[in-house]
Amino acid sequence: MEEPQTTQLLLHGVIDARIVAADLSVTSDGQLQPTKKIQMKRKVFSWIRKLPFCQCKALENAIGLGMDGKLYATVDIDKARVGRTRMLDPVHSPRWNESFRIYCAHDASNIIFTVKADNAVGATLIGRAYLPTKDVVAGGKVERWLDIRDEKRQPLRGGDKIHVQLQFTGVAADPEGGWGTGVGSATYGGVPRTFFQQRRGCRVRLYEDAHIADGFAPRVALAGGGVYEPRRCWADVFEAINAARRMVYIAGWSVNTGVQLVRDPRRPSSAETLGQLLIRKADEGATVLMLVWDDRTSVGLGPIKRDGLMATHDEDTAGFFRGTKVRCVLCPRNPDKDRSYVQDVETATMFTHHQKTVIVDGGGSSGPNAPPGLVSFLGGIDLCDGRYDTQEHPLFRTLGTTHSKDFHQPNFPGASIRKGGPREPWHDVHCRVEGPAAWDVLDNFEQRWRKQGGGDNLLVALDKGWAPREAAAAADDAESWNVQVFRSIDGGAAAGFPEIPDEAAARGLVSGKDHVIERSIQDAYIHAIRRARDFIYIENQYFLGSSYAWRQGDGGVAVEAINALHLIPKELSLKIVSKIEAGERFAVYVVVPLWPEGVPESGSVQAILDWQRRTMEMMYRDITLAIRAKGLRADPRDYLTFFCLGNREAPNPGGEYAPPERPDPDTDYERAQQARRFMIYVHAKTMIVDDEYVIVGSANINQRSMDGGRDTEIAMGAYQPSYLATRTRPARGQVHGFRVALWQEHLGQAAAGNLLLRPSRLDCVRWVNEVAQRHWDMFASDTFQGDLPGHLMAYPIVVGDEGKITGMTEQFPDTKAKVLGSKSNVLPPILTT
């Protein structure tokens, strides 16, 4: 008999588990034996149901008294849910025979298998079985019939058992993991067990921000004597759509028809809006299909029109194309089948379609005589208002020109162009893919269209002898890329997933009761972190997760209820710990916004900041303990540092836009306008590893984006086989050029010398930290006047003993919002976990 344990051991690696079957006790009439708690509830309910207003069987099931719901089992590493079977009819011996490959980075005492009966609202607990971590950590295969226990951890009276098989493989022993080896070689096969495989012979362009300022010229030398050349994202999107021959497919969280992609008065195309461009292409004969997220809180009914909580303009977009040849479908984030009523409501109202893709034919760069190819854009930049920006990230100077019709400032209630700046500057990352991987992006769109856009209706059959899925680059082309497409999505948003469990598992798909989930973006991040050798650079709109490892008893919502269970922060801290233990250098740089977009004093923003602080503390606690155990005298920020971006702008001596109105007195808006400063909003979702490998996509580092059953997301991971590092040669391809160009954008006048070329070196880390601290001091100063010499700022925290986080200042400049956030009792799914 396996007794539950209390001693925690680290499980860092992969668990291959299989839930085979269960043996459940039954009553004399053949029904499943209820637990004592259910028996007590039934006694009370037997009296209530005699009342004339309570004769409904559904009510009994809804409050968890029915035992005839379908059966499913879950896998938890202590309190972190990591797997769930499909649902079976209630029988004495349910046989799931379902396998799971589980990435783990948990300190745990038990692996817990739970059996439940599904109900219309929630589920009824049958019991839990416990497999002690100590029995699996050695790595041998374990196969057992475990006792199923009640909530007091006592075996059920009927002798109920569950049959499980499990084997743990440590991270360094995982043959597919490549721990610490980097991307490896030209034969590296990509992230294993994913829906889309790695594709060779691709071309990639990486974009920082929507546009490149005329004066921004990164001085980045590449291997072979080349120089990195940044490209203009929205200008490329415009040209690709304009060159499309047969099709333009767009999927977006928000698409604003009035946005101008090109804003150069020297170019005649600059006056054409996105909506006008798409209508023109449709009139020319191209099939233009759009999947735009349907915000259920928005209303498009004349006088009661409401823009919705997210202000995505979805109703305006649909209305603009009504009566044209453009087919625009508003897509709600529908739940998949067989979820509970509560889960259905949660999915449809709280979560979104967050992918941002543009797919066109005829815009390839394979040469004038090559067949027309396919071009796919994806990343973090929505085709909507507020996104157009350059590396200068102006606050006031473009309000009378470039941003006169594109003023975006959602952090101040009532902000408008009539009241003046500061606008919210926008930093983002996007990419363009050609070759076989571009077709995977197309497959994603077609799967979604078949689910929510009307089946195969209107889809263009490109690969029927017209546009072969051929490589965009020759096999011997040094500039060729290997690219793999990843997603967070489920069967409620995409058609074509295999429904047989073993077939789904072979493609990296997991079950959620009876719906199929892909979470390969999280797998890609984990895989890249584990393979990293020297450094990791991250830019992301959010950074919170691994809540199972947060400090307990911190107030607010219980840690277990926050449910931000993805592994990325814990994987980062464990990578750093492993390097400290080995006596090797390693550095992680993380750039996030100063606060999540929105009113900074609001409860939702403050709650997210609190959870971000708890994530940081968890990581710094791991690092601090490792430094102490090694006997080092080191600052945890020598290994892990958080940054943000900001700007201050002196008045333009040549004159600038003069607003006809002013902000209300004694408001954040007025104070920021007087100080002429504001954060640059970091909306990027990218990670660079060792200057070799890059991930770009729409996914934030939070549970919404990494879960698979919440927001739908898409990303790509890519590298150039010809430019991988060797013992004698550092990586000096396009990924390196892109990373250094980003650093030159952020560091500004300080970005000089060779320090930027070796991010893992201690002198580089400390130099970047020093420059960022100077920028923060200038930004936060009440006496500083002038332009900031650079935008990269130290995130305003101090790391103390045991990794404890305090603020450099209690409140963000010009606000009354707490830097460390405040504890909240708001249910996490309502926010952005």
Side-chain angles (χ1 to χ4, degrees):
M1 181 182 295
E2 297 295 344
E3 296 288 344
Q5 301 295 303
T6 57
T7 302
Q8 289 193 328
L9 298 172
L10 175 63
L11 289 173
H12 188 206
V14 177
I15 294 174
D16 289 296
R18 181 175 290 272
I19 298 178
V20 182
D23 186 5
L24 307 177
S25 57
V26 297
T27 61
S28 59
D29 61 356
Q31 299 295 310
L32 293 177
Q33 180 70 45
T35 63
K36 291 182 180 180
K37 186 172 182 179
I38 294 296
Q39 288 175 326
M40 293 179 62
K41 286 184 176 181
R42 281 183 169 178
K43 288 180 181 180
V44 175
F45 193 76
S46 65
W47 175 80
I48 296 176
R49 71 183 303 175
K50 293 177 182 179
L51 299 176
F53 55 81
C54 187
Q55 296 294 324
C56 181
K57 178 68 174 177
L59 177 60
E60 180 178 349
N61 286 335
I63 63 175
L65 302 180
M67 293 296 291
D68 55 358
K70 290 188 174 184
L71 299 174
Y72 66 97
T74 63
V75 190
D76 296 76
I77 302 179
D78 273 356
K79 295 181 179 180
R81 176 67 41 82
V82 293
R84 176 168 23 209
T85 69
R86 68 196 189 282
M87 296 194 292
L88 300 178
D89 291 332
V91 294
H92 167 62
S93 300
R95 186 172 182 82
W96 293 282
N97 199 26
E98 196 161 338
S99 62
F100 305 87
R101 184 169 177 82
I102 301 164
Y103 289 102
C104 53
H106 302 73
D107 291 295
S109 51
N110 298 282
I111 299 171
I112 304 170
F113 300 89
T114 303
V115 181
K116 293 184 177 182
D118 191 54
N119 298 311
V121 179
T124 298
L125 173 68
I126 292 176
R128 296 184 175 93
Y130 298 81
L131 181 60
T133 304
K134 65 180 179 62
D135 293 355
V136 303
V137 73
K141 185 174 182 179
V142 177
E143 181 171 4
R144 292 181 189 168
W145 280 92
L146 301 173
D147 291 320
I148 298 178
R149 299 168 178 268
D150 62 20
E151 289 173 295
K152 294 183 179 180
R153 299 195 173 189
Q154 297 301 309
L156 297 181
R157 289 181 301 168
D160 302 48
K161 294 180 181 294
I162 186 169
H163 183 194
V164 301
Q165 300 169 349
L166 187 144
Q167 185 168 20
F168 167 72
T169 304
V171 68
D174 178 13
E176 295 179 338
W179 174 253
T181 62
V183 174
S185 68
T187 60
Y188 168 60
V191 179
R193 294 178 176 85
T194 54
F195 192 88
F196 296 116
Q197 301 304 305
Q198 179 177 272
R199 312 297 186 186
R200 300 179 183 275
C202 299
R203 290 194 181 278
V204 174
R205 291 181 187 173
L206 301 170
Y207 301 105
E208 53 186 302
D209 305 310
H211 192 66
I212 297 295
D214 288 340
F216 182 69
R219 302 166 300 280
V220 188
L222 305 181
V227 177
Y228 179 76
E229 297 181 7
R231 301 297 294 260
R232 291 175 165 87
C233 180
W234 274 12
D236 280 3
V237 171
F238 180 91
E239 294 299 336
I241 294 175
N242 194 46
R245 302 183 185 184
R246 295 185 59 189
M247 51 157 282
V248 177
Y249 295 167
I250 295 175
W253 175 82
S254 174
V255 178
N256 189 332
T257 59
V259 74
Q260 291 176 269
L261 298 177
V262 179
R263 305 186 187 184
D264 185 347
R266 297 168 294 184
R267 299 180 60 180
S269 59
S270 64
E272 191 170 31
T273 67
L274 174 62
Q276 292 167 342
L277 171 64
L278 295 177
I279 290 175
R280 174 167 63 82
K281 293 306 297 182
D283 289 341
E284 291 173 359
T287 297
V288 180
L289 305 181
M290 301 176 64
L291 292 171
V292 178
W293 173 55
D294 182 6
D295 183 353
R296 292 290 182 86
T297 65
S298 63
V299 178
L301 301 176
I304 63 170
K305 179 180 179 296
R306 186 177 65 216
D307 199 23
L309 294 176
M310 299 289 188
T312 60
H313 316 291
D314 54 329
E315 297 291 345
D316 291 338
T317 301
F320 182 87
F321 292 116
R322 198 168 289 124
T324 74
K325 295 180 181 180
V326 175
R327 179 66 181 273
C328 178
V329 177
L330 297 186
C331 300
R333 178 61 178 100
N334 287 339
D336 203 351
K337 62 182 180 179
D338 293 317
R339 304 191 82 187
S340 72
Y341 175 77
V342 171
Q343 290 171 320
D344 284 354
V345 172
E346 180 181 280
T347 300
T349 58
M350 298 178 188
F351 303 129
T352 77
H353 289 301
H354 201 237
Q355 296 180 349
K356 309 145 197 322
T357 63
V358 176
I359 308 146
V360 303
D361 70 293
S365 59
S366 301
N369 298 320
L374 199 72
V375 175
S376 294
F377 295 85
L378 68 152
I381 306 181
D382 299 281
L383 296 175
C384 68
D385 47 314
R387 272 47 173 179
Y388 186 94
D389 214 335
T390 69
Q391 297 66 49
E392 296 168 348
H393 300 295
L395 304 176
F396 298 91
R397 291 174 183 166
T398 55
L399 295 185
T401 54
T402 306
H403 292 104
S404 62
K405 298 179 181 179
D406 189 7
F407 180 85
H408 183 71
Q409 181 48 276
N411 302 274
F412 303 142
S416 71
I417 187 71
R418 291 187 59 80
K419 295 180 181 179
R423 61 177 285 269
E424 179 182 64
W426 199 269
H427 174 67
D428 222 324
V429 168
H430 216 68
C431 71
R432 163 181 166 145
V433 178
E434 298 174 60
W439 289 84
D440 291 336
V441 181
L442 172 65
D443 286 347
N444 166 76
F445 182 92
E446 291 182 340
Q447 285 182 330
R448 289 189 55 195
W449 184 268
R450 291 187 180 104
K451 189 72 175 186
Q452 292 191 290
D456 286 321
N457 183 37
L458 300 180
L459 290 173
V460 177
L462 287 179
D463 54 349
K464 292 182 179 178
W466 180 77
R469 297 183 178 221
E470 61 181 17
D476 59 351
D477 186 347
E479 298 306 313
S480 174
W481 292 71
N482 289 359
V483 181
Q484 193 169 10
V485 173
F486 310 111
R487 294 186 297 184
S488 293
I489 203 166
D490 65 14
F497 282 161
E499 296 186 0
I500 298 174
D502 283 348
E503 291 181 6
R507 302 193 71 174
L509 306 175
V510 297
S511 295
K513 293 185 181 177
D514 266 5
H515 69 295
V516 179
I517 297 171
E518 179 184 353
R519 54 179 64 141
S520 58
I521 295 178
Q522 181 178 173
D523 293 351
Y525 270 85
I526 293 169
H527 201 72
I529 293 167
R530 290 183 176 184
R531 297 187 76 94
R533 290 187 308 265
D534 298 316
F535 80 94
I536 291 172
Y537 175 68
I538 292 173
E539 294 184 358
N540 208 280
Q541 182 184 3
Y542 292 95
F543 192 87
L544 59 97
S546 305
S547 60
Y548 57 84
W550 293 356
R551 194 188 308 270
Q552 298 286 334
D554 224 2
V557 175
V559 168
E560 294 80 12
I562 290 172
N563 208 34
L565 299 176
H566 71 87
L567 272 59
I568 294 169
K570 188 68 174 180
E571 288 284 354
L572 288 167
S573 66
L574 289 177
K575 168 61 73 170
I576 294 171
V577 167
S578 73
K579 290 292 188 175
I580 293 172
E581 291 173 346
E584 299 174 2
R585 277 297 308 157
F586 196 84
V588 175
Y589 304 79
V590 182
V591 182
V592 294
L594 193 54
W595 67 77
E597 189 177 59
V599 178
E601 295 90 348
S602 66
S604 58
V605 170
Q606 285 290 295
I608 294 168
L609 288 168
D610 177 51
W611 300 337
Q612 176 180 275
R613 186 265 308 169
R614 294 197 213 186
T615 302
M616 293 176 176
E617 276 194 349
M618 175 272 296
M619 298 175 72
Y620 278 125
R621 183 171 66 250
D622 288 349
I623 295 166
T624 300
L625 292 176
I627 290 172
R628 185 178 302 167
K630 193 71 174 177
L632 302 176
R633 297 177 62 84
D635 186 334
R637 296 192 312 145
D638 291 343
Y639 300 92
L640 170 67
T641 310
F642 290 89
F643 304 93
C644 54
L645 302 178
N647 199 8
R648 291 192 83 155
E649 218 173 64
N652 188 344
E656 59 187 24
Y657 170 73
E661 302 176 17
R662 288 287 182 266
D664 292 339
D666 194 29
T667 60
D668 295 356
Y669 192 4
E670 182 195 49
R671 287 186 287 271
Q673 190 174 92
Q674 291 176 346
R676 296 183 67 88
R677 64 185 166 195
F678 199 68
M679 69 171 174
I680 298 168
Y681 195 62
V682 178
H683 193 257
K685 300 96 169 52
T686 192
M687 182 171 78
I688 295 172
V689 179
D690 296 336
D691 274 353
E692 293 180 336
Y693 186 80
V694 61
I695 294 176
V696 174
S698 65
N700 296 312
I701 297 180
N702 58 11
Q703 194 64 24
R704 289 182 69 129
S705 289
M706 297 296 166
D707 186 86
R710 297 187 177 189
D711 289 355
T712 60
E713 310 282 5
I714 191 167
M716 71 92 192
Y719 65 98
Q720 292 181 285
S722 298
Y723 295 105
L724 301 177
T726 67
R727 291 184 178 179
T728 59
R729 184 193 68 192
R732 290 294 182 264
Q734 292 292 317
V735 177
H736 166 75
F738 181 63
R739 195 267 305 167
V740 176
L742 285 169
W743 282 29
Q744 289 187 3
E745 172 187 348
H746 300 333
L747 289 165
Q749 298 173 11
N754 293 326
L755 277 177
L756 300 186
L757 305 182
R758 298 284 187 175
S760 64
R761 289 177 49 137
L762 182 59
D763 53 356
C764 178
V765 175
R766 290 181 172 175
W767 177 78
V768 172
N769 285 343
E770 289 171 3
V771 172
Q773 185 63 52
R774 289 201 302 271
H775 291 166
W776 170 260
D777 292 341
M778 296 176 190
F779 180 83
S781 170
D782 291 331
T783 58
F784 177 83
Q785 295 182 348
D787 295 346
L788 278 187
H791 298 142
L792 187 75
M793 307 188 301
Y795 198 83
I797 57 171
V798 177
V799 183
D801 294 339
E802 307 290 338
K804 185 71 174 177
I805 299 290
T806 56
M808 291 184 193
T809 178
E810 183 178 358
Q811 299 172 340
F812 294 117
D814 306 322
T815 79
K816 298 178 182 178
K818 294 181 179 179
V819 168
L820 302 181
S822 10
K823 299 171 181 60
S824 170
N825 292 313
V826 178
L827 290 176
I830 296 175
L831 305 178
T832 314
T833 59

